[in-house]
Amino acid sequence: MSYPLLLLILSLIVIVPTVFVISGRSKQKLLGNSQPNPKYLGNSSTAANQQTAKASSEQLQIANAIDKYRNHPALPISFRQLLGKIHSQYLALVSVKLAPDQRFTVDKLAGSRLGEIIEDYLALDSDYAENTIIDRQNNLTSQDITYGQLTSMLEFMQRVQSDGQQQVASNILANRSYLQSVYGEFHPDAQSNDSLHNLKAPDMELSELQQQPTSELLIERSHSYLADCDLMSPSELSLADKAEYFGTELLMQLGQLTFSAENTIAYSEALLGSEINLSAFDQILTKALPSLLRSTLNTNEDIAADDEPVTALSSHQKALLEQKIARVQQLIDDCLARLEKAADQQFQSGVASADTLQSVHSTVKSKLSQAQYLLDSGFFKL
């Protein structure tokens, strides 16, 4: 074989496979470029979305764990009422945008520390926990101290929601002793303080737990709701200042409505994310209903000046308000019932089925349509 022919054969052996490899890579690159980019399909950050979904699932499990404790028959009635408040407060914080360190602290409190405190208490004999003084300096029993720990958790969550932006979490992380007090850790060797006597768990009867939340808590929540309405419309008639005009039953109804609405929003965001826009419910609670309440007060002839004695609204006025609030309550309760069922399924099995989520989606969407109809039809006008 001649040298030129041998050189030609060797060249073909090296060059031809190289051409095929380069050609193949070029085709793969071309095909890859022809596929839609995921970030233009609504998945700008798949990893981030997965992390958010995971966080929502964990928060949902924490809420369900608190709910189980508040229904635990071995716990004192006062504990179960307090846990009901913690459950509602935690659900309210689920939808609040917190700084990462704030979210970590809240979730650790509710998801880890709360369970440890309750399990420690349940490990004690009930008679010993209730009657045996373990802190003689402050005359506190195990029940009193545990109640104080749970109260500190609730107060911390309330602070986070009311004024807890970055500063609250920074203070907690910077001050170890404050963090321990937030966690409810009690130090028997601490200096005596008169406020410690307020930590005693109240004596309560079973009849006081016939409904959750309690009437006192509902009225307290209604006053908070009216005050929030005033903050959003500072130039309008103050609803909080005229709260006595509405009467106890109507205030309880408003409190129940805000509780249900908060739970509905929290569960909806945890289960459905941004798939559902709850703006119709939001418009009713923040605009339409406050406007209706103010219109009713303005038409009451007994309200002439701030220095006059408070006179309740007429029975007709109350009945009209109760009817309209009850209609909204029904819509929200229908949504909440479906959401809670899906949440329980996810808590029990680790995942909510596609059929369940589709059913929830359809129900919430239908009730929102009805809520929007009420807004458009002037239902909230006198």
Side-chain angles (χ1 to χ4, degrees):
M1 181 181 297
S2 63
Y3 178 76
L5 181 58
L6 179 60
L7 184 60
L8 177 61
I9 294 174
L10 291 174
S11 299
L12 290 174
I13 292 174
V14 174
I15 295 174
V16 172
T18 303
V19 171
F20 277 108
V21 169
I22 294 175
S23 177
R25 289 179 178 176
S26 299
K27 288 182 179 179
Q28 288 178 356
K29 185 175 181 180
L30 180 62
L31 289 173
N33 290 336
S34 67
Q35 299 296 327
N37 193 318
K39 67 181 179 181
Y40 298 117
L41 295 175
N43 298 321
S44 58
S45 177
T46 303
N49 289 339
Q50 289 176 347
Q51 185 177 2
T52 301
K54 181 180 180 182
S56 297
S57 176
E58 290 174 355
Q59 291 161 7
L60 195 59
Q61 291 183 7
I62 291 173
N64 276 278
I66 300 173
D67 189 57
K68 282 194 170 185
Y69 279 126
R70 74 169 176 171
N71 293 311
H72 199 296
L75 289 176
I77 304 302
S78 58
F79 281 35
R80 290 155 65 182
Q81 280 196 330
L82 186 55
L83 286 166
K85 296 178 183 179
I86 293 175
H87 178 260
S88 298
Q89 187 63 52
Y90 180 77
L91 280 177
L93 284 173
V94 168
S95 58
V96 177
K97 292 183 178 179
L98 302 179
D101 45 4
Q102 285 181 304
R103 175 60 64 191
F104 171 80
T105 304
V106 169
D107 287 346
K108 184 174 178 59
L109 279 174
S112 176
R113 186 61 177 152
L114 183 143
E116 293 172 0
I117 290 174
I118 296 297
E119 292 299 332
D120 286 344
Y121 179 84
L122 291 173
L124 295 173
D125 177 77
S126 59
D127 184 68
Y128 178 91
E130 183 177 353
N131 298 311
T132 302
I133 302 296
I134 63 172
D135 177 14
R136 298 187 181 280
Q137 185 177 10
N138 297 293
N139 196 36
L140 298 176
T141 65
S142 299
Q143 186 178 98
D144 297 328
I145 292 174
T146 304
Y147 187 86
Q149 290 174 323
L150 295 176
T151 300
S152 70
M153 287 188 182
L154 176 62
E155 291 175 348
F156 169 68
M157 291 182 186
Q158 291 171 338
R159 286 199 299 272
V160 169
Q161 185 174 23
S162 62
D163 55 47
Q165 304 302 321
Q166 298 287 346
Q167 189 60 42
V168 173
S170 299
N171 290 341
I172 294 170
L173 296 176
N175 191 330
R176 182 179 179 83
S177 62
Y178 181 64
L179 181 59
Q180 289 175 338
S181 68
V182 167
Y183 274 0
E185 293 176 358
F186 187 85
H187 299 284
D189 57 346
Q191 293 183 356
S192 178
N193 190 320
D194 292 339
S195 64
L196 292 175
H197 294 281
N198 296 327
L199 295 177
K200 281 185 171 292
D203 295 327
M204 307 183 72
E205 300 294 334
L206 184 60
S207 59
E208 298 183 51
L209 197 66
Q210 291 179 345
Q211 66 177 37
Q212 286 284 354
T214 65
S215 58
E216 290 181 357
L217 188 58
L218 289 177
I219 293 176
E220 179 184 339
R221 182 54 64 95
S222 70
H223 281 285
S224 298
Y225 169 69
L226 295 177
D228 290 340
C229 292
D230 291 341
L231 287 175
M232 288 184 286
S233 302
S235 61
E236 301 288 343
L237 175 68
S238 173
L239 294 174
D241 291 344
K242 306 296 182 182
E244 293 180 65
Y245 285 91
F246 298 115
T248 301
E249 292 184 3
L250 191 57
L251 289 175
M252 288 177 60
Q253 194 177 14
L254 284 171
Q256 184 62 61
L257 179 64
T258 57
F259 262 117
S260 300
E262 286 180 356
N263 289 354
T264 298
I265 293 171
Y267 277 124
S268 177
E269 293 189 352
L271 288 168
L272 304 177
S274 58
E275 297 178 24
I276 292 291
N277 185 349
L278 300 175
S279 60
F281 288 156
D282 181 67
Q283 289 180 43
I284 290 175
L285 289 169
T286 60
K287 296 180 180 179
L289 187 54
S291 177
L292 173 64
L293 295 174
R294 290 191 176 96
S295 298
T296 304
L297 290 173
N298 285 328
T299 58
N300 187 356
E301 296 180 353
D302 293 326
I303 305 178
D306 291 336
D307 57 352
E308 288 188 354
V310 174
T311 304
L313 300 180
S314 68
S315 58
H316 173 72
Q317 289 174 318
K318 287 185 178 180
L320 185 63
L321 289 175
E322 289 172 358
Q323 175 191 4
K324 294 180 182 297
I325 295 173
R327 183 70 183 96
V328 181
Q329 184 76 57
Q330 180 184 7
L331 294 176
I332 292 179
D333 283 346
D334 289 344
C335 294
L336 184 58
R338 289 280 188 173
L339 287 164
E340 287 180 333
K341 183 178 179 180
D344 184 65
Q345 182 184 98
Q346 179 164 320
F347 176 68
Q348 297 295 337
S349 63
V351 62
S353 67
D355 291 341
T356 299
L357 290 177
Q358 182 60 42
S359 176
V360 171
H361 187 281
S362 300
T363 297
V364 175
K365 189 174 182 180
S366 172
K367 302 305 174 182
L368 284 168
S369 297
Q370 295 178 45
Q372 188 62 52
Y373 172 78
L374 295 179
L375 288 168
D376 297 339
S377 64
F379 179 78
F380 297 98
K381 297 180 180 179
L382 293 179

